[in-house]
């Protein structure tokens, strides 16, 4: 885990910047800046305990992720076959699983720069795609795309991340629905909880920090 540069802004400016949840493009950009800045500020804590990445993801990212909607999408056709308690338990377990998944993914970034493509008119849109490029010298840019949906109060939340053309939501839906069919929803809930509890493995050590 090492530093990531979102923009040449100072830490105080990023921390003070408010997240405008009524503009999907601004929301993704500001949340990304605040998250990467938090990674850099908490670097020593992360080096001491990579589990601290989960704390950062939960506090900085998850308030802007519609994990309930994502959970229901992942359950697919099996959603109708679940009880209210099972849906509640699955959403809770999937939220934890997403936190762990994002936390592990962030260990791969090593001083890259993050560029955001300009937004389009979203006045009449229900879902927009926010395109992001991870830039590293000597390597092709990593293309990311965040899918964001409009809520009833006209605010926006992200529900999927597409990395190099691969949708996190679609891949997890395929995996989870297959497991539900074989093992049942309760077993999948326990599996997700187990994965959530697994330790985050550090991809970079302090000696490799750039």
């Amino acid at each position: 885990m090492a530093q990531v540069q979102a923009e040449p802004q100072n830490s105080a400016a990023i921390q003070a910047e408010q997240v405008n949840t009524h503009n999907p493009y601004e929301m993704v950009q500001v949340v990304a800046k605040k998250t990467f800045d938090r990674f850099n500020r908490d670097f020593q804590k992360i080096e001491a305990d990579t589990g601290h990445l989960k704390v950062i993801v939960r506090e900085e990212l998850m308030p802007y992720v519609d994990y309930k909607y994502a959970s229901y999408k992942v359950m697919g056709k099996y959603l109708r076959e679940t009880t209210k308690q099972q849906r509640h338990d699955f959403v809770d377990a999937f939220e934890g699983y997403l936190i762990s998944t994002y936390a592990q993914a962030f260990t791969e970034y090593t001083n890259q720069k993050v560029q955001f493509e300009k937004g389009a008119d979203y006045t009449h849109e229900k879902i927009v795609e926010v395109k992001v490029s991870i830039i590293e010298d000597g390597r092709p840019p990593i293309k990311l795309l965040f899918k964001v949906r409009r809520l009833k109060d006209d605010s926006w939340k992200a529900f999927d991340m597409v990395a190099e053309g691969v949708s996190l939501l679609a891949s997890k839906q395929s995996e989870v629905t297959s497991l539900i069919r074989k093992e049942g929803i309760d077993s999948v809930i326990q599996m997700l909880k187990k994965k959530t509890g697994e330790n985050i493995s550090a991809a970079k050590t302090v000696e490799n920090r750039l």
Side-chain angles (χ1 to χ4, degrees):
M1 178 65 199
Q3 288 183 317
V4 183
Q5 300 172 353
E7 285 288 337
Q9 280 186 285
N10 61 50
S11 298
I14 295 174
Q15 292 177 61
E17 193 168 359
Q18 295 297 311
V19 179
N20 179 11
T21 58
H22 290 274
N23 182 318
Y25 298 99
E26 285 185 16
M27 182 189 74
V28 170
Q29 186 167 349
V30 173
V31 169
K33 289 177 184 177
K34 290 168 73 72
T35 302
F36 289 139
D37 181 69
R38 176 79 181 274
F39 287 154
N40 294 334
R41 285 188 289 113
D42 289 5
F43 182 78
Q44 290 185 339
K45 291 182 179 180
I46 295 168
E47 282 293 318
D49 177 15
T50 52
H52 186 66
L53 284 167
K54 294 182 183 181
V55 175
I56 296 174
V57 170
R58 182 181 293 278
E59 293 179 356
E60 304 294 346
L61 279 185
M62 295 311 289
Y64 310 98
V65 175
D66 194 347
Y67 56 86
K68 181 177 181 179
Y69 177 81
S71 300
Y72 282 5
K73 292 283 286 184
V74 163
M75 278 192 277
K77 64 180 182 180
Y78 295 103
L79 177 65
R80 300 190 191 94
E81 301 175 11
T82 58
T83 66
K84 183 178 180 180
Q85 186 62 50
Q86 286 174 325
R87 289 192 294 274
H88 175 274
D89 292 344
F90 185 89
V91 169
D92 186 60
F94 193 72
E95 178 192 13
Y97 177 66
L98 279 180
I99 290 171
S100 295
T101 299
Y102 287 132
Q104 185 63 60
F106 281 125
T107 65
E108 301 296 328
Y109 295 123
T110 56
N111 206 36
Q112 295 99 329
K113 294 181 180 179
V114 183
Q115 292 183 353
F116 301 88
E117 291 192 13
K118 291 183 178 180
D121 181 14
Y122 58 90
T123 306
H124 302 294
E125 302 295 333
K126 293 183 179 180
I127 293 177
V128 301
E129 298 179 346
V130 182
K131 297 179 180 179
V132 181
S133 295
I134 309 296
I135 309 297
E136 183 175 1
D137 292 341
R139 295 185 179 183
I142 300 172
K143 299 292 185 181
L144 300 180
L145 185 152
F146 291 93
K147 291 187 177 182
V148 192
R149 65 187 293 260
R150 188 194 295 269
L151 306 184
K152 291 180 179 180
D153 63 356
D154 278 337
S155 66
W156 295 77
K157 279 193 174 184
F159 68 92
D160 191 17
M161 180 180 74
V162 180
E164 296 296 329
V166 179
S167 162
L168 174 66
L169 195 63
S171 62
K172 296 308 175 187
Q173 181 180 33
S174 176
E175 178 184 345
V176 168
T177 54
S178 176
L179 286 170
I180 292 175
R181 183 177 67 253
K182 295 176 182 178
E183 307 290 341
I185 185 69
D186 293 325
S187 293
V188 174
I189 290 169
Q190 294 306 312
M191 179 203 71
L192 291 174
K193 288 181 177 180
K194 182 179 179 181
K195 286 183 175 294
T196 297
E198 293 176 354
N199 293 331
I200 302 298
S201 57
K204 301 292 179 182
T205 64
V206 67
E207 288 78 16
N208 300 131
R209 186 183 180 194
L210 300 178

